[in-house]
Amino acid sequence: MADQTLNAEGLNCPLPILRAKKTLKGMSSGQVLEITATDPGSVADMAAFCNQTGNELLSSSSEGDVYTYEIRKA
């Protein structure tokens, strides 16, 4: 269960990552952010973002043109 959700649908790179970064900044360590996006490039971007920032990518899935990610803040 996510503590916060972020709808980044319709946004292209790098906006989904920038919005995720801004939202995570306001969250406490251990909280989970659920992000939905439609940019296919977000799949690689979210993984790279988590690797670089130390946040944990809990899940990455897609249904149709919508990609969903769950990230736990470090």
Side-chain angles (χ1 to χ4, degrees):
M1 186 72 171
D3 296 291
Q4 272 193 318
T5 59
L6 171 65
N7 182 341
E9 294 175 33
L11 301 176
N12 292 321
C13 180
L15 290 176
I17 294 296
L18 294 175
R19 298 267 171 96
K21 182 178 181 180
K22 182 178 181 181
T23 303
L24 284 165
K25 185 179 278 192
M27 296 174 67
S28 299
S29 181
Q31 287 189 310
V32 176
L33 173 63
E34 180 182 87
I35 304 158
T36 56
T38 50
D39 180 5
S42 66
V43 176
D45 291 346
M46 287 295 173
F49 169 72
C50 288
N51 284 335
Q52 290 174 356
T53 60
N55 296 304
E56 181 182 359
L57 183 60
L58 299 174
S59 68
S60 175
S61 61
S62 64
E63 188 172 317
D65 293 338
V66 178
Y67 303 90
T68 303
Y69 310 96
E70 286 191 343
I71 297 174
R72 183 185 323 270
K73 183 174 178 172

mmCIF file of all heavy atoms in Angstrom, residues 45-74:
data_model
loop_
_atom_site.group_PDB
_atom_site.id
_atom_site.type_symbol
_atom_site.label_atom_id
_atom_site.label_comp_id
_atom_site.label_asym_id
_atom_site.label_seq_id
_atom_site.Cartn_x
_atom_site.Cartn_y
_atom_site.Cartn_z
ATOM 1 N N ASP A 45 14.377 4.659 -16.885
ATOM 2 C CA ASP A 45 14.660 5.855 -16.081
ATOM 3 C C ASP A 45 14.407 5.629 -14.594
ATOM 4 O O ASP A 45 15.206 6.053 -13.760
ATOM 5 C CB ASP A 45 13.809 7.036 -16.558
ATOM 6 C CG ASP A 45 14.212 7.541 -17.930
ATOM 7 O OD1 ASP A 45 15.303 7.167 -18.402
ATOM 8 O OD2 ASP A 45 13.434 8.308 -18.523
ATOM 9 N N MET A 46 13.306 4.972 -14.245
ATOM 10 C CA MET A 46 12.987 4.745 -12.827
ATOM 11 C C MET A 46 14.025 3.835 -12.175
ATOM 12 O O MET A 46 14.450 4.074 -11.045
ATOM 13 C CB MET A 46 11.591 4.145 -12.654
ATOM 14 C CG MET A 46 10.476 5.101 -12.910
ATOM 15 S SD MET A 46 10.398 6.466 -11.742
ATOM 16 C CE MET A 46 9.121 7.446 -12.523
ATOM 17 N N ALA A 47 14.442 2.802 -12.893
ATOM 18 C CA ALA A 47 15.465 1.893 -12.353
ATOM 19 C C ALA A 47 16.774 2.640 -12.131
ATOM 20 O O ALA A 47 17.408 2.507 -11.077
ATOM 21 C CB ALA A 47 15.667 0.706 -13.297
ATOM 22 N N ALA A 48 17.181 3.442 -13.107
ATOM 23 C CA ALA A 48 18.421 4.206 -12.981
ATOM 24 C C ALA A 48 18.315 5.240 -11.866
ATOM 25 O O ALA A 48 19.253 5.419 -11.085
ATOM 26 C CB ALA A 48 18.744 4.897 -14.308
ATOM 27 N N PHE A 49 17.169 5.891 -11.751
ATOM 28 C CA PHE A 49 16.943 6.876 -10.707
ATOM 29 C C PHE A 49 17.100 6.245 -9.321
ATOM 30 O O PHE A 49 17.766 6.790 -8.446
ATOM 31 C CB PHE A 49 15.541 7.483 -10.867
ATOM 32 C CG PHE A 49 15.089 8.323 -9.707
ATOM 33 C CD1 PHE A 49 15.641 9.571 -9.479
ATOM 34 C CD2 PHE A 49 14.109 7.858 -8.845
ATOM 35 C CE1 PHE A 49 15.216 10.350 -8.408
ATOM 36 C CE2 PHE A 49 13.687 8.623 -7.776
ATOM 37 C CZ PHE A 49 14.239 9.869 -7.552
ATOM 38 N N CYS A 50 16.510 5.077 -9.140
ATOM 39 C CA CYS A 50 16.600 4.393 -7.838
ATOM 40 C C CYS A 50 18.040 3.962 -7.547
ATOM 41 O O CYS A 50 18.508 4.092 -6.413
ATOM 42 C CB CYS A 50 15.646 3.206 -7.790
ATOM 43 S SG CYS A 50 13.921 3.744 -7.663
ATOM 44 N N ASN A 51 18.735 3.456 -8.543
ATOM 45 C CA ASN A 51 20.136 3.059 -8.352
ATOM 46 C C ASN A 51 20.995 4.248 -7.947
ATOM 47 O O ASN A 51 21.868 4.127 -7.091
ATOM 48 C CB ASN A 51 20.703 2.413 -9.618
ATOM 49 C CG ASN A 51 20.213 1.003 -9.818
ATOM 50 O OD1 ASN A 51 19.847 0.321 -8.859
ATOM 51 N ND2 ASN A 51 20.196 0.555 -11.053
ATOM 52 N N GLN A 52 20.753 5.396 -8.544
ATOM 53 C CA GLN A 52 21.561 6.584 -8.273
ATOM 54 C C GLN A 52 21.238 7.231 -6.934
ATOM 55 O O GLN A 52 22.112 7.820 -6.307
ATOM 56 C CB GLN A 52 21.372 7.617 -9.391
ATOM 57 C CG GLN A 52 21.978 7.202 -10.699
ATOM 58 C CD GLN A 52 21.650 8.175 -11.825
ATOM 59 O OE1 GLN A 52 20.901 9.124 -11.644
ATOM 60 N NE2 GLN A 52 22.215 7.931 -12.995
ATOM 61 N N THR A 53 19.991 7.121 -6.491
ATOM 62 C CA THR A 53 19.564 7.830 -5.291
ATOM 63 C C THR A 53 19.523 6.947 -4.045
ATOM 64 O O THR A 53 19.370 7.468 -2.935
ATOM 65 C CB THR A 53 18.169 8.456 -5.485
ATOM 66 O OG1 THR A 53 17.227 7.410 -5.778
ATOM 67 C CG2 THR A 53 18.181 9.480 -6.608
ATOM 68 N N GLY A 54 19.603 5.630 -4.226
ATOM 69 C CA GLY A 54 19.541 4.728 -3.080
ATOM 70 C C GLY A 54 18.126 4.378 -2.666
ATOM 71 O O GLY A 54 17.922 3.628 -1.707
ATOM 72 N N ASN A 55 17.127 4.908 -3.373
ATOM 73 C CA ASN A 55 15.748 4.518 -3.107
ATOM 74 C C ASN A 55 15.523 3.118 -3.670
ATOM 75 O O ASN A 55 16.228 2.696 -4.583
ATOM 76 C CB ASN A 55 14.776 5.509 -3.744
ATOM 77 C CG ASN A 55 14.897 6.897 -3.147
ATOM 78 O OD1 ASN A 55 14.775 7.074 -1.944
ATOM 79 N ND2 ASN A 55 15.169 7.878 -3.986
ATOM 80 N N GLU A 56 14.543 2.408 -3.127
ATOM 81 C CA GLU A 56 14.312 1.013 -3.529
ATOM 82 C C GLU A 56 13.119 0.916 -4.470
ATOM 83 O O GLU A 56 12.005 1.320 -4.121
ATOM 84 C CB GLU A 56 14.053 0.163 -2.285
ATOM 85 C CG GLU A 56 13.831 -1.295 -2.581
ATOM 86 C CD GLU A 56 13.530 -2.120 -1.338
ATOM 87 O OE1 GLU A 56 13.503 -1.561 -0.221
ATOM 88 O OE2 GLU A 56 13.323 -3.330 -1.492
ATOM 89 N N LEU A 57 13.367 0.370 -5.674
ATOM 90 C CA LEU A 57 12.287 0.122 -6.627
ATOM 91 C C LEU A 57 11.625 -1.186 -6.215
ATOM 92 O O LEU A 57 12.178 -2.266 -6.419
ATOM 93 C CB LEU A 57 12.837 0.052 -8.051
ATOM 94 C CG LEU A 57 11.813 -0.136 -9.169
ATOM 95 C CD1 LEU A 57 10.801 1.000 -9.198
ATOM 96 C CD2 LEU A 57 12.515 -0.266 -10.514
ATOM 97 N N LEU A 58 10.471 -1.087 -5.586
ATOM 98 C CA LEU A 58 9.776 -2.276 -5.083
ATOM 99 C C LEU A 58 9.086 -3.049 -6.188
ATOM 100 O O LEU A 58 9.057 -4.280 -6.164
ATOM 101 C CB LEU A 58 8.734 -1.872 -4.029
ATOM 102 C CG LEU A 58 9.258 -1.175 -2.777
ATOM 103 C CD1 LEU A 58 8.092 -0.706 -1.920
ATOM 104 C CD2 LEU A 58 10.164 -2.109 -1.999
ATOM 105 N N SER A 59 8.500 -2.329 -7.147
ATOM 106 C CA SER A 59 7.817 -3.000 -8.249
ATOM 107 C C SER A 59 7.768 -2.101 -9.466
ATOM 108 O O SER A 59 7.816 -0.877 -9.369
ATOM 109 C CB SER A 59 6.398 -3.410 -7.843
ATOM 110 O OG SER A 59 5.590 -2.272 -7.661
ATOM 111 N N SER A 60 7.691 -2.758 -10.610
ATOM 112 C CA SER A 60 7.578 -2.084 -11.896
ATOM 113 C C SER A 60 6.689 -2.964 -12.763
ATOM 114 O O SER A 60 7.002 -4.126 -12.987
ATOM 115 C CB SER A 60 8.965 -1.926 -12.529
ATOM 116 O OG SER A 60 8.859 -1.392 -13.823
ATOM 117 N N SER A 61 5.556 -2.421 -13.217
ATOM 118 C CA SER A 61 4.644 -3.225 -14.025
ATOM 119 C C SER A 61 4.001 -2.340 -15.089
ATOM 120 O O SER A 61 4.099 -1.115 -15.038
ATOM 121 C CB SER A 61 3.570 -3.861 -13.143
ATOM 122 O OG SER A 61 2.802 -2.864 -12.497
ATOM 123 N N SER A 62 3.365 -2.991 -16.044
ATOM 124 C CA SER A 62 2.659 -2.225 -17.072
ATOM 125 C C SER A 62 1.351 -2.917 -17.409
ATOM 126 O O SER A 62 1.227 -4.135 -17.317
ATOM 127 C CB SER A 62 3.513 -2.081 -18.330
ATOM 128 O OG SER A 62 3.743 -3.334 -18.920
ATOM 129 N N GLU A 63 0.378 -2.088 -17.747
ATOM 130 C CA GLU A 63 -0.914 -2.575 -18.205
ATOM 131 C C GLU A 63 -1.329 -1.665 -19.342
ATOM 132 O O GLU A 63 -1.600 -0.481 -19.130
ATOM 133 C CB GLU A 63 -1.940 -2.537 -17.070
ATOM 134 C CG GLU A 63 -3.244 -3.202 -17.440
ATOM 135 C CD GLU A 63 -4.185 -3.330 -16.259
ATOM 136 O OE1 GLU A 63 -3.733 -3.687 -15.162
ATOM 137 O OE2 GLU A 63 -5.379 -3.059 -16.453
ATOM 138 N N GLY A 64 -1.299 -2.210 -20.552
ATOM 139 C CA GLY A 64 -1.553 -1.379 -21.721
ATOM 140 C C GLY A 64 -0.437 -0.369 -21.878
ATOM 141 O O GLY A 64 0.735 -0.717 -21.875
ATOM 142 N N ASP A 65 -0.801 0.902 -21.966
ATOM 143 C CA ASP A 65 0.180 1.982 -22.131
ATOM 144 C C ASP A 65 0.552 2.643 -20.810
ATOM 145 O O ASP A 65 1.227 3.668 -20.808
ATOM 146 C CB ASP A 65 -0.369 3.051 -23.082
ATOM 147 C CG ASP A 65 -0.508 2.537 -24.507
ATOM 148 O OD1 ASP A 65 0.181 1.555 -24.853
ATOM 149 O OD2 ASP A 65 -1.313 3.108 -25.267
ATOM 150 N N VAL A 66 0.107 2.082 -19.690
ATOM 151 C CA VAL A 66 0.364 2.699 -18.381
ATOM 152 C C VAL A 66 1.374 1.862 -17.599
ATOM 153 O O VAL A 66 1.213 0.650 -17.447
ATOM 154 C CB VAL A 66 -0.938 2.856 -17.568
ATOM 155 C CG1 VAL A 66 -0.651 3.454 -16.198
ATOM 156 C CG2 VAL A 66 -1.933 3.734 -18.324
ATOM 157 N N TYR A 67 2.406 2.526 -17.134
ATOM 158 C CA TYR A 67 3.460 1.889 -16.336
ATOM 159 C C TYR A 67 3.275 2.320 -14.884
ATOM 160 O O TYR A 67 3.031 3.494 -14.618
ATOM 161 C CB TYR A 67 4.844 2.314 -16.841
ATOM 162 C CG TYR A 67 5.041 1.996 -18.301
ATOM 163 C CD1 TYR A 67 4.691 2.924 -19.291
ATOM 164 C CD2 TYR A 67 5.543 0.768 -18.697
ATOM 165 C CE1 TYR A 67 4.843 2.624 -20.636
ATOM 166 C CE2 TYR A 67 5.704 0.460 -20.039
ATOM 167 C CZ TYR A 67 5.355 1.388 -20.993
ATOM 168 O OH TYR A 67 5.502 1.078 -22.314
ATOM 169 N N THR A 68 3.398 1.359 -13.981
ATOM 170 C CA THR A 68 3.216 1.645 -12.551
ATOM 171 C C THR A 68 4.477 1.231 -11.800
ATOM 172 O O THR A 68 5.010 0.142 -12.021
ATOM 173 C CB THR A 68 1.990 0.891 -11.996
ATOM 174 O OG1 THR A 68 0.837 1.257 -12.762
ATOM 175 C CG2 THR A 68 1.754 1.242 -10.533
ATOM 176 N N TYR A 69 4.924 2.100 -10.917
ATOM 177 C CA TYR A 69 6.127 1.851 -10.122
ATOM 178 C C TYR A 69 5.819 2.106 -8.652
ATOM 179 O O TYR A 69 5.032 2.995 -8.331
ATOM 180 C CB TYR A 69 7.264 2.817 -10.535
ATOM 181 C CG TYR A 69 7.486 2.841 -12.016
ATOM 182 C CD1 TYR A 69 6.894 3.821 -12.809
ATOM 183 C CD2 TYR A 69 8.271 1.879 -12.631
ATOM 184 C CE1 TYR A 69 7.076 3.834 -14.182
ATOM 185 C CE2 TYR A 69 8.458 1.888 -14.002
ATOM 186 C CZ TYR A 69 7.862 2.863 -14.764
ATOM 187 O OH TYR A 69 8.047 2.867 -16.123
ATOM 188 N N GLU A 70 6.467 1.330 -7.799
ATOM 189 C CA GLU A 70 6.421 1.588 -6.366
ATOM 190 C C GLU A 70 7.849 1.752 -5.894
ATOM 191 O O GLU A 70 8.686 0.877 -6.123
ATOM 192 C CB GLU A 70 5.718 0.462 -5.617
ATOM 193 C CG GLU A 70 4.225 0.474 -5.798
ATOM 194 C CD GLU A 70 3.508 -0.465 -4.846
ATOM 195 O OE1 GLU A 70 4.146 -1.365 -4.268
ATOM 196 O OE2 GLU A 70 2.284 -0.299 -4.687
ATOM 197 N N ILE A 71 8.111 2.889 -5.257
ATOM 198 C CA ILE A 71 9.463 3.211 -4.780
ATOM 199 C C ILE A 71 9.401 3.481 -3.287
ATOM 200 O O ILE A 71 8.570 4.269 -2.821
ATOM 201 C CB ILE A 71 10.009 4.461 -5.508
ATOM 202 C CG1 ILE A 71 10.131 4.199 -6.998
ATOM 203 C CG2 ILE A 71 11.357 4.894 -4.912
ATOM 204 C CD1 ILE A 71 10.523 5.416 -7.820
ATOM 205 N N ARG A 72 10.294 2.813 -2.527
ATOM 206 C CA ARG A 72 10.417 3.078 -1.101
ATOM 207 C C ARG A 72 11.544 4.069 -0.895
ATOM 208 O O ARG A 72 12.672 3.871 -1.350
ATOM 209 C CB ARG A 72 10.720 1.797 -0.318
ATOM 210 C CG ARG A 72 10.781 2.056 1.209
ATOM 211 C CD ARG A 72 11.187 0.835 2.020
ATOM 212 N NE ARG A 72 10.686 -0.414 1.540
ATOM 213 C CZ ARG A 72 9.511 -0.975 1.902
ATOM 214 N NH1 ARG A 72 8.741 -0.362 2.752
ATOM 215 N NH2 ARG A 72 9.163 -2.138 1.420
ATOM 216 N N LYS A 73 11.237 5.177 -0.201
ATOM 217 C CA LYS A 73 12.246 6.199 0.041
ATOM 218 C C LYS A 73 13.323 5.698 0.984
ATOM 219 O O LYS A 73 13.037 5.073 2.005
ATOM 220 C CB LYS A 73 11.602 7.466 0.618
ATOM 221 C CG LYS A 73 12.625 8.562 0.811
ATOM 222 C CD LYS A 73 12.030 9.859 1.246
ATOM 223 C CE LYS A 73 13.154 10.851 1.452
ATOM 224 N NZ LYS A 73 12.675 12.185 1.702
ATOM 225 N N ALA A 74 14.561 5.958 0.626
ATOM 226 C CA ALA A 74 15.701 5.532 1.441
ATOM 227 C C ALA A 74 15.751 6.293 2.746
ATOM 228 O O ALA A 74 15.238 7.380 2.865
ATOM 229 C CB ALA A 74 16.995 5.747 0.668
#
